[in-house]
Amino acid sequence: MTAIQEAQERPRGARLPRSARREQLLGAAQEVFVAQGYHAAAMDDIADRAGVSKPVLYQHFPGKLELYLALLDKHCDALVEATRTALSATTDNKQRVAATMEAYFHYVASESGAFRLVFESDLTNEPAVRERVERAADLSATLVSKVIAEDTDLPEAEAKLLAAGVCGLAQITARYWLSQGREIPRDEAVRLVASLAWRGLKGFPMHPGDQAQGAEADGGTPDAADGRTDSEAAPE
């Protein structure tokens, strides 16, 4: 149920527990900010959308920026948590790549449009907004880089650079896919982008111990150049 629907079903000014009221106000603010952007949105609009008086709104949030930052914190945290969940869902690295791509596509495809607050904000010149967005991007990349560093011989800085590329690829392609009206089914779009990312990542050699373990499972020795075993490589 949206903030508008809740407001319609509840008498204006009806008392709610503080936490529930805060969530209601955040929901209303999200709808207004997504539809209008930060600069065009007004606290009057948000109060009306929530079905409360403006003084009630100010009891919870001292100003429009504080309200926007609270929303940004919520949705930046959701992105980082989605990345963490995707990486922890499996130990298969190919599936991890696909799960990470799916996490971003799912995040962007949400009917709430909240991703626009994170990726398409009209307030990126505000230091507090920029810091939160950059922090979310860095935390997501750090999660991915830890997996890359653990499974390869790459230095930490190189693993982080590759991870930033993976997350950037996921974000940009998901937003492009959405802007094109979801012309390609989401599952297929995720598969295509995950395949692109995996073809690059699998070329980096695994740790020697991991190579031996992979070779035993595949019935051959791994090719450091492309991650394939001898049994998979094309004959000369």
Side-chain angles (χ1 to χ4, degrees):
M1 180 180 294
T2 67
I4 295 176
Q5 291 170 325
E6 289 181 355
Q8 290 173 339
E9 293 186 5
R10 185 178 293 109
R12 188 178 183 88
R15 297 185 63 83
L16 285 174
R18 185 171 180 82
S19 60
R21 177 68 78 192
R22 178 183 171 86
E23 284 304 308
Q24 180 201 18
L25 296 175
L26 285 173
Q30 179 176 308
E31 293 173 13
V32 173
F33 284 135
V34 168
Q36 301 181 21
Y38 177 83
H39 294 294
M43 292 294 269
D44 284 329
D45 298 331
I46 295 169
D48 287 343
R49 185 69 60 97
V52 301
S53 65
K54 201 156 72 167
V56 169
L57 179 57
Y58 279 113
Q59 286 175 9
H60 292 264
F61 301 98
K64 186 167 73 165
L65 179 59
E66 289 77 13
L67 182 50
Y68 191 86
L69 292 177
L71 271 174
L72 198 57
D73 283 335
K74 176 180 179 180
H75 294 296
C76 283
D77 289 348
L79 175 62
V80 174
E81 187 57 36
T83 304
R84 179 181 288 108
T85 299
L87 293 170
S88 63
T90 177
T91 57
D92 182 289
N93 285 334
K94 183 177 181 180
Q95 293 179 15
R96 278 173 167 163
V97 171
T100 300
M101 296 300 161
E102 168 59 26
Y104 274 80
F105 273 75
H106 177 77
Y107 184 77
V108 166
S110 171
E111 291 184 3
S112 71
F115 80 94
R116 300 189 188 281
L117 304 178
V118 180
F119 298 143
E120 300 175 2
S121 174
D122 61 345
L123 197 62
T124 52
N125 61 331
E126 166 60 45
V129 171
R130 187 166 59 250
E131 185 275 332
R132 283 164 168 79
V133 173
E134 290 176 352
R135 179 175 177 272
D138 184 72
L139 287 174
S140 295
T142 297
L143 290 170
V144 176
S145 72
K146 287 180 179 178
V147 174
I148 295 175
E150 287 171 359
D151 291 339
T152 70
D153 289 317
L154 291 174
E156 180 180 345
E158 294 182 14
K160 186 68 172 290
L161 182 62
L162 290 177
V166 170
C167 293
L169 174 65
Q171 181 216 136
I172 292 172
T173 54
R175 289 168 56 199
Y176 176 80
W177 166 79
L178 188 67
S179 74
Q180 299 302 300
R182 313 186 192 205
E183 184 177 9
I184 302 172
R186 191 172 89 191
D187 288 349
E188 178 62 12
V190 168
R191 187 192 67 78
L192 286 169
V193 179
S195 178
L196 174 63
W198 176 244
R199 284 175 181 273
L201 287 173
K202 75 173 183 177
F204 292 93
M206 302 285 284
H207 287 306
D210 295 329
Q211 289 183 353
Q213 183 177 10
E216 291 176 2
D218 292 336
T221 57
D223 185 313
D226 62 9
R228 296 176 302 173
T229 64
D230 287 340
S231 62
E232 295 172 323
E236 297 182 352

